[in-house]
Amino acid sequence: MNHCMFDGIGAMEFVNSWAETARGVAELTVPPFLDCSVLKARDPPVHTFPHHEFAEIPDVSDTAALYGAQELLYRSFCFDPDWLERVRGLALADGALGCCTTLEALSGLVWRARTKALGLAPEQRTKLLFAVDGRRRFSPPLPRGYFGNGIVLTNALATAGELLSAPVSRAAGLVQEAVRMVTDEYMRPAVDYFEATRARQREEEHQRAARPASHRDGRLPRAHGRDMIDLSVMRSNDGHGWVAIHTCIYDA
């Protein structure tokens, strides 16, 4: 299974349907909706929303030179429900946010901590990029059982100085704003953008693959092909949510 076919929700619905078929169920609980034309790009494309998630950020901190030769260490940090509530309380402590989810608070905390740990220049722009399920955010919503990619990338932008000079509530608030801006008006231009730049993206991918790993797009080098931080949401046996952070740390 590959993201070229469907996203995580589509994958799980496929697995569940496969299991139901193996059990001899006469009618699937969630029949697949196979008409992907519901997300067809408009002709001509309409670019009415700035999509910074696709823009590359100059590496003014020269992180490739600073950390390129250092070994990366993998570490996992698990947050149980009590710790998640403490993190959320930290994001709400100064009263700047009326409310926030634990995921918004934790994402802001990790974004800020990573920025500090890397010693980025204050003027270095940083981007937190993450996926949001757009199925119910389209107008009209995507049909139940949509067999394809219904997620959309959104992003929060800030300089390193902005993140580190403000409390965690600032980073969590930026994450919150990034989630809120995912509307039909945001997602439709993203579909148009993908279609309009498909050929150019293929060419850029070929060029990027030909460069040394530590010099691709001025990004931080990857460890064995993995990103620096991975947030995994799991569920414990008692039904409470757990979050695990898998991160690479430069060995000084």
Side-chain angles (χ1 to χ4, degrees):
M1 295 186 289
N2 190 285
H3 261 302
C4 293
M5 295 180 62
F6 43 50
D7 54 25
I9 294 176
M12 289 310 302
E13 289 178 347
F14 170 76
V15 171
N16 290 336
S17 296
W18 193 356
E20 289 180 342
T21 301
R23 294 197 304 268
V25 175
E27 186 174 345
L28 297 178
T29 303
V30 183
F33 183 87
L34 302 176
D35 184 8
C36 292
S37 66
V38 294
L39 284 186
K40 184 178 180 180
R42 293 168 291 190
D43 188 14
V46 181
H47 303 298
T48 57
F49 207 100
H51 283 275
H52 300 296
E53 66 270 28
F54 303 120
E56 296 177 0
I57 295 179
D59 181 17
V60 299
S61 299
D62 197 15
T63 51
L66 287 173
Y67 307 111
Q70 297 186 34
E71 293 293 328
L72 293 174
L73 302 178
Y74 285 106
R75 292 293 183 268
S76 295
F77 304 89
C78 294
F79 291 75
D80 62 22
D82 291 336
W83 273 102
L84 289 176
E85 282 303 316
R86 291 181 64 177
V87 171
R88 193 164 73 93
L90 183 64
L92 297 173
D94 62 353
L97 297 177
C99 63
C100 73
T101 66
T102 53
L103 185 61
E104 290 166 349
L106 184 59
S107 298
L109 177 68
V110 174
W111 183 20
R112 188 176 184 274
R114 177 182 183 271
T115 300
K116 183 177 181 179
L118 293 177
L120 301 179
E123 66 275 15
Q124 174 67 60
R125 296 178 69 210
T126 66
K127 180 194 302 181
L128 181 67
L129 189 69
F130 57 99
V132 173
D133 180 17
R135 282 169 165 74
R136 297 182 181 180
R137 295 172 181 263
F138 280 102
S139 181
L142 295 182
R144 186 167 182 257
Y146 175 74
F147 192 80
N149 282 289
I151 61 172
V152 64
L153 292 177
T154 186
N155 69 104
L157 283 168
T159 64
E162 179 184 359
L163 287 177
L164 299 182
S165 63
V168 178
S169 60
R170 175 57 179 164
L174 291 173
V175 175
Q176 196 173 74
E177 292 173 8
V179 175
R180 286 175 179 167
M181 72 179 180
V182 180
T183 62
D184 187 81
E185 291 77 15
Y186 175 90
M187 295 184 289
R188 294 289 178 182
V191 175
D192 294 346
Y193 180 92
F194 274 124
E195 185 64 27
T197 60
R198 187 187 301 270
R200 190 184 72 188
Q201 287 174 348
R202 289 199 190 101
E203 179 62 26
E204 289 178 349
E205 287 173 0
H206 288 310
Q207 294 177 358
R208 188 178 299 122
R211 304 176 198 165
S214 60
H215 293 84
R216 293 174 187 171
D217 306 330
R219 300 172 184 170
L220 287 173
R222 294 171 177 244
H224 307 294
R226 294 192 57 184
D227 289 327
M228 291 294 296
I229 293 178
D230 174 32
L231 284 176
S232 301
V233 181
M234 301 176 289
R235 189 165 295 278
S236 58
N237 292 332
D238 59 2
H240 292 92
W242 292 68
V243 173
I245 300 176
H246 310 282
T247 183
C248 307
I249 304 174
Y250 285 103
D251 183 8

